Amino acid sequence: MNDKLKLETILMHLAEEREAYKGAVVPPIFQNSLFTFKDWQSIDEAFEDRINQFIYSRGKNPTVKMVEEKIAHMAGGERAQLFPSGMAAITASCLHFLEPHDHVIAVKNLYGPANNLLKNYLVKKMNIEITFVSGENIQDFENAIQENTKLIYLESPSTAVFTLQDIQAVAELAKQRNIKTMIDNTWATPIFQKPLAMGIDLEVHSCSKYLGGHSDLVGGVVIGRQEDIDDIFHHEYELLGAKTAPMEAWLLMRSLRTLPMRMEKHQSNALAVAQFLESHPKIEVVHYPGLPDFPQYTLGQKQMSGYTGLMAFKLKTNMLEKIKAFVNSLKIFQVGVSWGGHESLVYAPAISYLKELDEEQFKGLGISLGDIRISVGLEHKDDLINDLRNALETSFEL
Ligand SMILES: *Cc1c(COP(=O)(O)O)cnc(C)c1O
């Protein structure tokens, strides 16, 4: 396809060969486990080129491949590999770079299960060493480097407190020291942040969030250089059997067609909501990288071209009953985990933490009971703001 076309146009058409499927405007779902060949010689030749040929759907599948080509183009990578979940993509990327006794530097606010994978699972299974850093200064990384450091794992912005890392500076440092880098780019999406162009080796996403965007699929993707992605395909994908369902890939292809437009809307809605919350007397602080008052706003402006819809804020109360009343008073924001879909959601870290800790221990962690996370969806911003205003007015007094 013509590389001079704009992203919106390319996402509609790239990798779709309509004449090959009778002109169907939407490609079919290739829901087949195997592919047949006309004779001995043609299957023999297919085995010579397993990266590009369709033989068995634990390997390459045409529906999955179409989506991979679109995502690779969008992120500016040579290749992309879809996975059945974001966690499968993260696990594959870690296993690709790591060998037993290697050392990893990761940001301490990493997505919870990724943190668990490194700290509990890989430490136990592979004796890897791990250092968590706050990641706000390049010195954090420099100081943590050891002889056996093989990988630096970033998540910018993080999706707990939205802290950023200087992606280009970390990539340069890592290259000088011969260390590989990966980033979880789920929050910003390739629409608003291009880590591969800043020198990062692998970019991973949960497609269950904005890339899918309709809360009807779970998926993941890794994007990078051909040599890394081909190796991940042969080992962590095909050998470990992390096969992507063609149906999920097909839903994701549908979603990518509207991704640029959805992200513009998430951005304008979220900015309006963040500004409303910031000015409300019952809100102590809003954590949102798109607000000029955000502590790392300048860094965000340097490395992102826009902001998405997930943010957190703190209510000016520490009384659990009032916090519960606030959450329960919301009518449009629905209570649930995950984020990045068309619908607005609310979640409080206290819901899961209080299962393991009492209120005193909880405060000791530096998280407050009144911390609330919202995913701003695609409803009209006035309705979202009115919903929040009403819940703030009715749930507690200062
Ligand atoms: C949800 C999420 C993941 C994991 O993705 P799944 O598709 O749920 O496996 C990884 N990173 C971030 C930042 C996420 O929000």
Side-chain angles (χ1 to χ4, degrees):
M1 235 181 131
N2 183 346
D3 275 348
K4 293 205 183 69
L5 293 171
K6 304 276 192 235
L7 181 64
E8 285 85 342
T9 315
I10 289 178
L11 284 176
M12 299 289 177
H13 300 288
L14 181 76
E16 297 182 35
E17 302 161 45
R18 297 196 179 96
E19 61 285 6
Y21 10 89
K22 302 190 185 298
V25 68
V26 177
I29 308 171
F30 283 85
Q31 188 63 50
N32 50 299
S33 61
L34 69 112
F35 298 81
T36 56
F37 294 83
K38 69 177 191 303
D39 55 20
W40 180 300
Q41 192 188 339
S42 23
I43 194 167
D44 193 51
E45 281 166 11
F47 274 115
E48 297 292 312
D49 184 20
R50 289 203 3 258
I51 281 286
N52 294 304
Q53 299 296 318
F54 304 118
I55 301 169
Y56 183 56
S57 283
R58 196 181 77 243
K60 295 288 173 184
N61 170 281
T63 315
V64 175
K65 189 170 179 212
M66 274 179 241
V67 180
E68 288 168 347
E69 285 183 29
K70 286 178 197 278
I71 293 180
H73 179 89
M74 172 168 66
E78 288 173 5
R79 293 228 184 194
Q81 177 65 58
L82 277 188
F83 278 91
S85 70
M87 275 312 293
I90 287 169
T91 305
S93 304
C94 292
L95 291 178
H96 170 63
F97 284 135
L98 294 176
E99 296 196 353
H101 306 287
D102 283 345
H103 175 243
V104 184
I105 303 171
V107 289
K108 73 172 194 294
N109 290 316
L110 218 53
Y111 176 67
N115 187 308
N116 193 0
L117 170 79
L118 291 168
K119 194 172 68 190
N120 296 321
Y121 192 79
L122 292 183
V123 165
K124 213 179 285 166
K125 294 279 180 182
M126 290 172 61
N127 283 306
I128 64 149
E129 286 181 66
I130 170 133
T131 306
F132 288 104
V133 298
S134 102
E136 277 146 84
N137 301 302
I138 189 71
Q139 285 77 24
D140 296 344
F141 295 96
E142 213 157 353
N143 296 342
I145 294 175
Q146 304 179 178
E147 195 104 321
N148 58 341
T149 306
K150 284 287 163 56
L151 175 63
I152 297 179
Y153 183 165
L154 308 179
E155 184 181 319
S156 181
S158 78
T159 53
V161 282
F162 307 98
T163 45
L164 314 182
Q165 300 100 54
D166 186 331
I167 299 170
Q168 191 152 8
V170 174
E172 277 167 18
L173 169 71
K175 282 213 164 64
Q176 284 163 15
R177 310 292 286 266
N178 223 355
I179 298 167
K180 297 294 183 182
T181 48
M182 64 181 274
I183 186 168
D184 185 330
N185 198 29
T186 303
W187 189 88
T189 79
I191 302 293
F192 292 143
Q193 182 162 269
K194 300 271 195 301
L196 299 175
M198 295 182 236
I200 294 294
D201 294 303
L202 286 183
E203 170 177 349
V204 301
H205 290 268
S206 166
C207 302
S208 326
K209 314 294 162 56
Y210 291 117
L211 299 194
H214 296 67
S215 303
D216 54 10
L217 70 91
V218 171
V221 68
V222 186
I223 315 140
R225 259 176 247 108
Q226 176 164 355
E227 133 198 358
D228 284 316
I229 301 298
D230 286 355
D231 190 68
I232 287 174
F233 166 72
H234 285 304
H235 299 108
E236 288 77 21
Y237 187 79
E238 202 181 18
L239 191 63
L240 298 189
K243 172 203 165 258
T244 303
M247 175 72 189
E248 312 279 274
W250 184 85
L251 282 169
L252 186 52
M253 173 158 44
R254 172 278 322 256
S255 299
L256 293 177
R257 300 187 198 284
T258 57
L259 182 67
M261 300 68 128
R262 284 189 285 113
M263 296 325 297
E264 286 302 324
K265 184 74 172 172
H266 280 294
Q267 166 164 247
S268 59
N269 274 1
L271 202 54
V273 166
Q275 282 162 347
F276 163 76
L277 289 171
E278 192 180 37
S279 66
H280 198 284
K282 289 182 182 171
I283 302 288
E284 195 160 307
V285 62
V286 180
H287 303 288
Y288 185 62
L291 286 174
D293 284 343
F294 183 72
Q296 292 174 294
Y297 183 71
T298 314
L299 176 59
Q301 289 282 91
K302 187 183 104 180
Q303 61 191 18
M304 288 188 282
S305 59
Y307 306 94
T308 65
L310 186 75
M311 68 183 77
F313 56 89
K314 187 172 172 205
L315 296 174
K316 266 196 198 154
T317 175
N318 250 328
M319 294 180 60
L320 193 54
E321 286 317 308
K322 294 177 175 178
I323 295 158
K324 283 184 185 173
F326 169 77
V327 170
N328 291 339
S329 306
L330 290 164
K331 301 216 159 52
I332 297 176
F333 285 84
Q334 302 171 81
V335 183
V337 296
S338 194
W339 47 277
H342 57 278
E343 76 289 12
S344 291
L345 294 171
V346 58
Y347 188 74
I351 296 169
S352 40
Y353 281 109
L354 286 177
K355 294 237 167 276
E356 295 149 32
L357 312 169
D358 64 28
E359 276 183 45
E360 280 312 304
Q361 291 169 314
F362 188 80
K363 282 176 200 156
L365 280 181
I367 314 167
S368 97
L369 278 180
D371 285 341
I372 305 285
R373 191 179 83 170
I374 55 173
S375 175
V376 176
L378 299 174
E379 300 94 339
H380 196 285
K381 67 179 191 317
D382 295 351
D383 295 329
L384 297 177
I385 289 171
N386 285 335
D387 196 32
L388 289 161
R389 182 187 287 117
N390 178 59
L392 285 165
E393 271 164 20
T394 56
S395 58
F396 67 99
E397 295 304 321
L398 284 180

